Amino acid sequence: MLKFETVIDLNDHLEKLRKEGFKIGFIPTMGALHKGHLSLINRAKEDNLISVCSIFVNPTQFNNPDDLKNYPRTIEADITLLESVTCDVLFFPSVREIYPHPIKTFFNFGRLETVMEGAFRKGHFNGMATVVNRLFEIVKPDFAYFGEKDFQQLTIVKMLVKMQSLPIKIIGCETLREEGGVAMSSRNIHLSPKEREDALIISQTLFKAKELAKTMTAQELKSWAINNLTTNPSSELEYFEIADAETLQPISNLKASTSKIRAFIALKMGKTRLIDNLEL
Ligand code: AMP
């Protein structure tokens, strides 16, 4: 695997590959890699692309300075994992390399960003879109891979590509889960063994909700799920939402909806904020 820290060096390498006719598959991450991340790299490789993974903990998408400070950084282990799946290129830039000038871009994703993560993490999606747009400008991928684990992010990235008329195909990939069902996440490192056990309630609620959606109304389902998610005093539910998978707007009638529906959860387990979602 080749590793680059500067835009110039990365560009030189990718330009040569493009001239030789190779297509580029890009997987942006914030590091602390796990099998979920590796599944995206494997997808790019299955699609016969040059896999380019970036590791960049983007300061502009954190609304909480402590969250940014405590975000896990495990670059040596990340490199070993990337090499284990024969990732082709790692881009590991500094903040100055990504943001050499003051940031002036401001994105408006309308109603997609006023709900759920957008409502609870002010400015998060503008920061995320700023860095993804900048990384797209640097890497110029043909395809980019994002996890459904961050479904709202995936939807907003698809909108970003449309808004900027970028010639990039966005591929959404299924969430990889631990045995038992907990969605793999870099933040799981922070969970104590007891919290890890307690976190099972998130995926269990989602999978049970999928079953109950066949017989319950949206209101009944929401009350049941909220009840289920608020019994543990050491966790704090931020939201349980049933929403249209395209518009991300809350659904009040499960039967009347013509598009796909997903359930979304954000919950703090002790100090660790966890999110997950599932198609119903
Ligand atoms: P992050 O490093 O958390 O910014 O994630 C980088 C990419 O990996 C994003 O597109 C995530 O949605 C994706 N991702 C994170 N966790 C998982 C998972 N458990 N399964 C599949 N993709 C994931």
Side-chain angles (χ1 to χ4, degrees):
M1 179 173 70
L2 292 172
K3 307 180 203 71
F4 299 100
E5 291 186 21
T6 67
V7 174
I8 287 193
D9 291 342
L10 178 76
N11 273 341
D12 272 359
H13 180 65
L14 294 183
E15 205 43 52
K16 270 184 227 142
L17 291 173
R18 261 185 227 104
K19 282 197 182 123
E20 289 171 32
F22 289 103
K23 300 271 183 216
I24 290 161
F26 180 42
I27 305 97
T29 81
M30 297 205 296
L33 301 181
H34 50 70
K35 285 186 186 153
H37 296 114
L38 301 186
S39 72
L40 307 188
I41 291 157
N42 284 329
R43 259 305 283 283
K45 296 200 70 87
E46 280 160 27
D47 291 342
N48 290 317
L49 305 168
I50 297 288
S51 49
V52 178
C53 174
S54 65
I55 295 183
F56 180 66
V57 182
N58 174 37
T60 69
Q61 73 188 68
F62 285 82
N63 51 336
N64 175 345
D66 276 347
D67 194 16
L68 172 62
K69 199 176 92 211
N70 295 330
Y71 199 84
R73 289 159 171 91
T74 58
I75 187 65
E76 293 308 323
D78 290 349
I79 291 173
T80 307
L81 282 177
L82 290 173
E83 285 176 339
S84 76
V85 291
T86 58
C87 178
D88 296 301
V89 173
L90 167 63
F91 181 45
F92 180 50
S94 64
V95 172
R96 184 179 279 232
E97 196 68 21
I98 293 293
Y99 301 121
H101 309 294
I103 302 158
K104 294 210 184 85
T105 37
F106 181 81
F107 295 99
N108 181 351
F109 298 105
R111 295 202 307 166
L112 289 182
E113 66 175 339
T114 57
V115 290
M116 300 188 286
E117 291 303 281
F120 279 83
R121 300 181 70 191
K122 292 279 174 232
H124 167 68
F125 285 122
N126 191 55
M128 181 280 290
T130 303
V131 77
V132 169
N133 191 50
R134 172 81 178 119
L135 288 166
F136 282 171
E137 176 185 283
I138 295 168
V139 178
K140 300 179 201 64
D142 301 282
F143 296 80
Y145 295 80
F146 288 83
E148 287 182 347
K149 156 84 173 28
D150 302 279
F151 196 86
Q152 193 170 5
Q153 166 175 285
L154 167 65
T155 308
I156 288 179
V157 169
K158 285 181 181 163
M159 174 59 93
L160 170 74
V161 162
K162 245 190 223 163
M163 278 163 45
Q164 305 288 91
S165 305
L166 300 173
I168 304 171
K169 186 151 172 37
I170 304 300
I171 315 277
C173 303
E174 242 179 64
T175 302
L176 247 76
R177 298 178 179 279
E178 311 271 1
E179 221 172 285
V182 173
M184 290 183 180
S185 163
S186 306
R187 292 173 191 269
N188 291 353
I189 289 180
H190 294 313
L191 297 171
S192 69
K194 161 90 169 53
E195 288 170 340
R196 206 169 258 262
E197 185 81 0
D198 289 351
L200 284 167
I201 191 72
I202 301 172
S203 55
Q204 282 170 353
T205 302
L206 288 171
F207 283 102
K208 183 79 183 162
K210 188 178 173 78
E211 222 178 282
L212 294 176
K214 292 177 196 147
T215 50
M216 281 185 175
T217 66
Q219 287 71 19
E220 284 167 344
L221 189 54
K222 207 168 162 178
S223 311
W224 169 82
I226 291 174
N227 215 11
N228 210 32
L229 292 163
T230 48
T231 51
N232 182 347
S234 47
S235 74
E236 184 195 330
L237 178 66
E238 288 195 350
Y239 60 80
F240 172 86
E241 206 54 85
I242 303 171
D244 182 292
E246 273 176 31
T247 64
L248 303 182
Q249 300 311 297
I251 292 268
S252 55
N253 188 340
L254 296 173
K255 307 279 173 305
S257 174
T258 50
S259 44
K260 290 186 173 165
I261 299 174
R262 292 185 90 90
F264 296 81
I265 295 175
L267 181 147
K268 268 195 198 141
M269 191 55 79
K271 287 190 171 151
T272 311
R273 190 173 183 279
L274 302 172
I275 59 170
D276 198 354
N277 69 89
L278 192 71
E279 187 178 322
L280 293 187

